Amino acid sequence: MLVLGIESSCDETAAALLEDGHRLLSNIVASQIATHRGYGGVVPELASREHLRNICPVVRRAIEVAGRREEEIDGIAVTQGPGLIGSLLVGLSFAKAMAFALQKPLVPVNHIEGHIYSALIENPDISYPLLAAVVSGGHTSLIFSPEPGQYRLVGRTRDDAAGEALDKLAKFLGLGYPGGPVIDRLAQRGDPHKFVFSIPKISDGSLDFSFSGFKTAALRHIERAGIRPRQPGGRVGRQIVDLVASYQQAIVDTLLVQTRRAANQLRPASILLVGGVACNSLLRRTFKDAFEGSAASGLDSKAWGREARRTPVYFPTPSLTTDNAAMIAAAGTPKLASGSPLQLDLNAYADFRLC
Ligand code: KG4
Ligand code: ZN
C-alpha cells in the first residue's frame, strides 16, 4: 500500500511516500526555521503563509523523489491536529483537494499518534504493550498503548513542554532558535552539576511533568551569578555552557524519573522515545542506559524502585524524530488498510486529543 503523508501542524511543511508502513520512498521537509528565527519562536500567521507557499512544491517533490506517479498512490494521510489552526488548515485543505482529484481515500491522523508511529517505521516488530514518551516543543506526555491504535494518557506536562523549556532558556540567553539542538551541542562541554536544579515532586503521585520551575530557577542562577546573555555573534562563556548543561540534565532526569515510574507500574514490552526532543543525545543515552543497561544511569538507583528491569528503548533517526510526514503516512497506513472512505468533510482541530 502506497501512502502519501502530509504534515503542516507547526513550522514544517512536509510530505512523504511510504510503502507498506515501513519502506520510506521519500521524506521531504521544508523547514521555516529561517523565517521564525528572528522572532525567537514560531509566528503563526507567517507559518500559515509559508505553508501555502511550500505545500505544492513539497508534495510534488515527494512524489518525484519516490519515483512514482500520483495515480499510484493508494491513499492520503494528513495531520488533523493538534497544532496551529492556520497551519493545519493548509495541509488539510490541500490533502482534501488532492484526494478528491485523484478519487483516493483520505484519513486524518493525530500528530501525536504520528510521533508514536515514527519509531515503528524502522522497527516494525516493536512489541506491545508499549509506553511512549512523546517529548517535543509542543507536547510532553506519557502514552500507554496496549495494542496498535489504542492509547491511554498516563502523564502529561502541567505547564511547559520540555522542548519549550529548552527553547525559552536558549532565547533568553541569546543562543538562537530552536534552542534544543544548540543546548544539546553546548552541554557536551559543560558541567551538568555546576548549577543546582531540584526535580519537582508532583505531590499527588501522578505521572505528570512540570518544567516551568526550572525556568524560574535558571533566572535565579543567572541573576546570582551575574550571567549576561550572549551578544549577537559573540562567544558563549563558560558559565552559560555550565548553566545549559545543568538545565538540560534536570530536564532529562525529570523525564527519566517519571518514565521509570510509569514503566514500573505498567510493565510495557517496549519504551518509545519520540518527538523533536528525542533527538537529544543525553536523553537518548540516558534512556538506553537506564532501561536497557544493568544500572540506573548515574542517578541514585533508589529513585527508580527495586523492580527495575530491562526494557528495549526505541527512538527514530533524527530526520524522523522532528516533525515529518513519513510518521503521518505510517500512522495513516493501518487506517487506510481497514478500508477508510474518502472523507471530504474533515476539519482541523488545534487542540485535537489522542486520548
Ligand atoms: O517534534 P517537533 O519537531 O515539533 C513539535 O511537535 O513540537 O519538536 C521540536 C522541538 C523544539 O523544541 C526543539 O528545540 C527540540 O524539539 N529539539 C531538541 C533537539 N532537536 C530538536 N531538543 C533537544 N535536543 C535536540 N537535539
Ligand atoms: Zn511534533
Side-chain angles (χ1 to χ4, degrees), residues 31-51:
S31 166
Q32 303 179 5
I33 286 178
T35 305
H36 302 290
R37 185 173 277 137
Y39 303 92
V42 178
V43 183
E45 185 52 36
L46 294 182
S48 311
R49 284 187 228 168
E50 284 280 303
H51 284 304

Side-chain angles (χ1 to χ4, degrees), residues 84-129:
L84 301 169
I85 193 68
S87 295
L88 287 164
L89 280 169
V90 176
L92 193 83
S93 308
F94 183 93
K96 281 194 210 176
M98 190 160 171
F100 180 69
L102 295 173
Q103 286 297 300
K104 301 283 178 172
L106 169 69
V107 288
V109 170
N110 182 298
H111 183 82
I112 305 297
E113 187 175 24
H115 275 303
I116 293 172
Y117 268 85
S118 68
L120 290 147
I121 297 173
E122 298 156 303
N123 304 285
D125 300 325
I126 286 179
S127 309
Y128 285 78

Side-chain angles (χ1 to χ4, degrees), residues 10 30 34 66 70-71 98 118 216 231 233 263 297 318:
C10 190
E70 354 183 282
E71 304 78 55
M98 190 160 171
S118 68
T216 316
Q231 294 306 307
S297 82

Side-chain angles (χ1 to χ4, degrees), residues 196-198 212-222 243 247:
V196 176
F197 288 92
S198 26
S212 67
F214 294 148
K215 205 174 50 195
T216 316
L219 292 179
R220 227 177 20 245
H221 286 311
I222 289 169
L243 180 67
Y247 187 78

